[in-house]
């Protein structure tokens, strides 16, 4: 029996091992911040992260269900490398079966962070920790440089298949803008569901022009915008151009455009909390800034785009609380898509809501604004953000799951609306009848429609969130070959014809067979409105999710974008 001294010495040794002065606690800190839930969940994750550096690999074996049917020699060869405790040199088969049962129970209880090896010492992949991890394909990185002023950005596409049919995002188009903004501001980090991101104070200070940084004799270390959302946000707040376009600041026309975008906004998605601890160089006063980024798509009757809103507050040790996140800017960035049916970006407008001052601002200060009309529209966004943060960090998993289903990228809802179904519904109201719908391996969805003497092919790529409209005559012509292979396109004394018998109609549908027959007899003409394909990004969806319509406002937002696209192409009356 341990004495009190021995017991306490053991505990003190554990403390030194886990959190001694010379121990690197970065992995534990990150695990604590990244874990959703209450204090117990976060603390447990931190301890496990620390223990993961200390534990030794264990031999894991595959214990078959019919282990009792193995020969004694085979059973001993199986269990001895992973034996639980002492196993004598000449065990009975009963002892070996008892060992197999112990090993199975032990392995079942081992957490995924315990490293595993085979009896030959080869590493074994840990088991998946969630149903999402076991079924979702690994993400595919895509590097874009659409925002050259901010830097190259690697975005993650929610599928790894390199050979899948794909509708790529237009180079420099608003689809790339949206994906890049999500990545830069911390809304699409698939590797970490962090509730808090620590902003690099030195990197933020490095953005201050050298001639204004009087308090520093050595240049602070800078980091790329891709690595720190605080750096990315400050560049977005102060750059004179973005994507090669001029950024219009604080103009009356810009205010009207921002108001129009806000009232036409879709589902807002929020970044993790940013925390920046710094000091005032003038008097050394410590300050902690807390900020968030919110992003959404927007669409009215004629235009569509993306909005970014960065907001927050600060605590200064001498002056108390502030309603601005200094030394970070608070601002609105409204990006508007062109009205020509493409993904080209037309205008970039910005409203600086708060500036850290001319001594810190990268461009020497920003004008003050007093816009109560815009402020009234921003208040619900901020208050909804509080609820989003609480749901994400909720100890009750049901709340976090509900938030991820509606706004996240890794949960699967029981029911959702599909983009292609909504597109065909809008077209059907204009007289277009769907002939067939199909899904390619890899997820590309297609629909073939007809109106009178014309056909229209609609494709949707849920990975890149692209809708493409093309003349469906070519697609229908390809269907003829499939009909021939199926014996439905036949040839007799009168030439080629389509079999419209009961079996063929049941397999292919009467409308499709009728259209194919009309094509055979030159009654399907080219679609004059689409001499070349029209393609656009569906904005307002999480660019790292599955491309379906999840959020409460996603359907109405899509309808607004479709109205502009289809009207431009002349496919609607």
């Amino acid at each position: 029996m341990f004495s009190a001294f021995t017991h306490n010495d053991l505990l003190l040794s554990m403390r030194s091992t886990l959190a001694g002065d010379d121990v690197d606690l970065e992995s534990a800190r990150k695990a604590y911040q990244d874990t959703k839930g209450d204090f117990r969940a976060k603390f447990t994750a931190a301890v496990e992260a620390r223990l993961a550096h200390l534990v030794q690999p264990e031999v894991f074996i595959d214990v078959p269900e019919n282990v009792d049917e193995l020969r004694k020699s085979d059973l001993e060869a199986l269990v001895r490398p992973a034996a639980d405790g002492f196993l004598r040199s000449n065990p009975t088969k009963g002892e070996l079966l008892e060992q197999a049962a112990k090993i199975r129970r032990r392995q079942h209880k081992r957490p995924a962070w315990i490293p595993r090896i085979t009896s030959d010492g080869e590493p074994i992949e840990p088991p998946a920790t969630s149903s999402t991890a076991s079924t979702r394909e690994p993400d595919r990185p895509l590097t874009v440089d659409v925002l050259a002023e901010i830097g190259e950005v690697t975005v993650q596409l929610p599928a790894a298949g390199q050979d899948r049919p794909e509708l790529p995002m237009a180079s420099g188009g608003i689809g790339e803008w949206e994906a890049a903004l999500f990545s830069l501001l911390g809304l699409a980090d698939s590797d970490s569901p962090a509730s808090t991101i620590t902003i690099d104070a030195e990197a933020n200070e490095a953005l201050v022009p050298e001639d204004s940084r009087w308090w520093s004799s050595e240049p602070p270390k800078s980091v790329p915008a891709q690595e720190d959302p605080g750096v990315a946000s400050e560049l977005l707040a102060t750059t004179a151009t973005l994507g090669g376009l001029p950024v219009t600041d604080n103009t009356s026309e810009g205010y009207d455009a921002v108001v129009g975008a806000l009232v036409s906004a879709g589902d807002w998605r929020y970044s993790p909390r940013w925390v920046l601890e710094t000091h005032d160089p003038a008097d050394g006063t410590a300050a902690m800034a807390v900020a968030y980024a919110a992003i959404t798509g927007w669409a009215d009757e004629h235009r569509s785009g993306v909005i970014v809103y960065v907001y927050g507050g600060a605590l200064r040790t001498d002056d108390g609380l502030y309603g601005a996140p200094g030394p970070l800017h608070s601002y609105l960035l409204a990006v508007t898509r062109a009205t020509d049916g493409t993904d080209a970006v037309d205008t970039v407008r910005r409203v600086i809501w708060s500036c850290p001052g001319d001594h810190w601002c990268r461009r020497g200060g920003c004008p003050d604004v007093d816009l109560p009309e815009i402020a009234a529209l921003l208040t619900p966004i901020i208050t909804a953000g509080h609820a989003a943060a609480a749901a994400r960090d909720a100890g009750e998993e049901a709340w976090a799951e509900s938030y991820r289903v509606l706004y996240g990228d890794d949960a699967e809802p029981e029911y959702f609306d599909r983009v292609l179904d909504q597109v065909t519904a809008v077209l059907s109201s204009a007289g277009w009848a769907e002939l067939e719908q199909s899904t390619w391996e890899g997820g590309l969805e297609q629909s073939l429609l007809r109106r009178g003497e014309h056909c229209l092919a609609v494709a949707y790529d849920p990975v890149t969130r692209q809708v493409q409209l093309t003349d469906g005559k070519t697609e229908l012509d390809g269907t003829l070959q499939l009909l021939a292979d199926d014996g439905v396109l036949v040839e007799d004394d009168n030439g080629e014809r389509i079999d419209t018998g009961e079996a063929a109609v049941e397999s292919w549908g009467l409308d499709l067979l009728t259209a194919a027959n009309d094509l055979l007899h030159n009654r399907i003409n080219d679609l004059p409105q689409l001499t070349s394909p029209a393609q656009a990004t569906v904005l307002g969806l999480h660019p790292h999710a599955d491309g379906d319509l999840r959020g409460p406002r996603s359907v109405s937002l899509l309808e607004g974008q479709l109205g502009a696209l289809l009207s431009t192409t002349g496919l609607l009356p």
Side-chain angles (χ1 to χ4, degrees):
M1 183 175 180
F2 284 162
S3 69
F5 302 108
T6 304
H7 177 81
N8 292 343
D9 281 343
L10 178 62
L11 292 178
L12 290 172
S13 175
M14 291 171 58
R15 178 201 173 281
S16 297
T17 301
L18 292 175
D21 293 339
D22 58 344
V23 171
D24 183 359
L25 294 177
E26 177 59 25
S27 62
R29 182 196 66 78
K30 189 174 187 299
Y32 185 93
Q33 290 185 342
D34 290 358
T35 299
K36 298 182 175 72
D38 57 11
F39 172 77
R40 179 184 295 276
K42 292 175 175 290
F43 179 73
T44 300
V47 173
E48 290 178 350
R50 182 71 192 103
L51 290 175
H53 292 283
L54 304 173
V55 294
Q56 297 181 357
E58 295 183 8
V59 174
F60 270 62
I61 62 173
D62 184 12
V63 182
E65 290 297 326
N66 59 341
V67 65
D68 57 328
E69 298 179 8
L70 295 177
R71 293 182 304 174
K72 179 175 176 290
S73 58
D74 294 335
L75 181 57
E76 183 174 0
L78 173 69
V79 303
R80 185 168 289 280
D84 191 302
F86 175 73
L87 180 63
R88 63 195 182 98
S89 59
N90 188 27
T92 66
K93 186 170 183 179
E95 290 171 336
L96 292 172
L97 289 173
E98 184 179 351
Q99 275 287 340
K102 287 182 178 179
I103 293 170
R104 180 186 281 127
R105 289 194 297 270
R106 182 189 69 208
Q107 292 183 166
H108 178 71
K109 294 180 179 179
R110 280 297 191 260
W113 50 268
I114 296 288
R116 300 143 191 256
I117 56 174
T118 67
S119 56
D120 297 326
E122 296 296 322
I124 300 175
E125 286 293 322
T129 56
S130 68
S131 59
T132 299
S134 62
T135 59
R136 177 168 172 162
E137 290 184 282
D139 298 311
R140 171 157 55 93
L142 175 68
T143 301
V144 298
D145 57 2
V146 61
L147 306 179
E149 299 87 348
I150 311 301
E152 196 173 74
V153 184
T154 299
V155 302
Q156 299 290 336
L157 297 180
Q162 297 291 341
D163 298 327
R164 65 182 295 275
E166 183 162 287
L167 300 177
M169 291 181 280
S171 178
I174 200 165
E176 287 193 346
W177 281 62
E178 184 181 42
L181 290 169
F182 264 78
S183 181
L184 286 168
L185 299 177
L187 281 78
D189 185 354
S190 60
D191 297 325
S192 171
S195 57
T196 299
I197 296 177
T198 301
I199 300 301
D200 190 321
E202 188 176 3
N204 183 267
E205 184 178 326
L207 296 175
V208 179
E210 184 177 355
D211 56 358
S212 299
R213 202 169 54 240
W214 52 265
W215 60 88
S216 175
S217 57
E218 296 292 331
K221 181 181 178 182
S222 61
V223 300
Q226 172 85 69
E227 298 180 11
D228 189 274
V231 171
S233 180
E234 286 302 284
L235 293 174
L236 290 171
T238 56
T239 181
T241 64
L242 198 55
L245 298 172
V247 180
T248 304
D249 271 309
N250 294 21
T251 65
S252 57
E253 181 185 5
Y255 297 152
D256 292 340
V258 167
V259 169
L262 288 172
V263 299
S264 306
D267 299 297
W268 288 92
R269 290 175 171 84
Y270 297 85
S271 73
R273 180 189 307 112
W274 305 344
V275 175
L276 170 60
E277 296 183 15
T278 185
H279 65 278
D280 189 325
D283 57 14
T285 300
M288 179 182 69
V290 178
Y292 297 87
I295 302 179
T296 187
W298 64 272
D300 59 22
E301 296 177 354
H302 307 290
R303 291 181 173 271
S304 58
V306 176
I307 316 173
V308 174
Y309 176 35
V310 174
Y311 64 94
L315 172 64
R316 294 171 58 89
T317 54
D318 60 346
D319 295 333
L321 294 168
Y322 279 78
L328 302 175
H329 286 77
S330 175
Y331 60 94
L332 278 161
L333 189 71
V335 184
T336 302
R337 177 161 44 188
T339 58
D340 59 359
T342 71
D343 257 6
V345 173
D346 186 28
T347 59
V348 184
R349 296 183 173 92
R350 183 172 55 205
V351 177
I352 300 296
W353 210 247
S354 69
C355 175
D358 54 6
H359 69 290
W360 195 274
C361 176
R362 181 168 168 265
R363 56 178 182 176
C366 305
D368 294 331
V369 296
D370 182 18
L371 302 168
E373 183 180 6
I374 294 181
L377 295 172
L378 297 180
T379 300
I381 303 170
I382 296 171
T383 52
H386 297 326
R392 266 196 316 234
D393 300 340
E396 177 59 49
E397 178 62 23
W399 293 115
E401 179 73 7
S402 178
Y403 179 82
R404 291 198 298 270
V405 165
L406 292 172
Y407 302 101
D409 66 343
D410 64 345
E412 296 183 2
E414 293 183 7
Y415 173 79
F416 53 84
D417 290 298
R418 297 172 64 242
V419 169
L420 190 62
D421 289 343
Q422 295 299 316
V423 177
T424 56
V426 172
L427 288 167
S428 67
S429 66
W432 291 93
E434 188 173 53
L435 302 179
E436 67 171 348
Q437 190 173 125
S438 58
T439 301
W440 287 71
E441 183 178 357
L444 185 67
E445 303 169 10
Q446 291 184 315
S447 177
L448 181 63
L449 304 97
R450 178 182 184 180
R451 185 176 67 183
E453 61 187 24
H454 300 122
C455 283
L456 170 66
V458 181
Y460 175 62
D461 189 337
V463 171
T464 57
R465 310 171 326 283
Q466 300 294 301
V467 170
Q468 186 184 74
L469 308 172
T470 57
D471 188 342
K473 185 178 179 181
T474 301
E475 182 72 20
L476 185 59
D477 188 58
T479 303
L480 288 178
Q481 182 59 52
L482 298 178
L483 294 174
D485 295 341
D486 198 35
V488 178
L489 174 58
V490 296
E491 186 172 0
D492 54 25
D493 295 339
N494 297 320
E496 290 183 318
R497 65 177 179 84
I498 300 295
D499 177 12
T500 55
E502 182 177 347
V505 170
E506 183 176 352
S507 297
W508 294 92
L510 182 59
D511 289 341
L512 178 62
L513 295 177
T514 301
N517 189 62
D518 287 344
L519 179 63
L520 273 179
H521 296 88
N522 300 316
R523 291 192 291 267
I524 299 294
N525 297 322
D526 294 334
L527 186 59
Q529 298 97 320
L530 289 174
T531 54
S532 60
Q535 182 173 317
T537 302
V538 178
L539 301 174
L541 306 181
H542 196 304
H544 191 254
D546 54 15
D548 292 316
L549 301 170
R550 299 186 183 194
R553 299 180 182 176
S554 58
V555 172
S556 60
L557 182 65
L558 172 63
E559 290 174 347
Q561 297 175 72
L562 290 177
L565 174 63
L566 297 175
S567 296
T568 301
T569 55
L571 297 173
L572 295 181

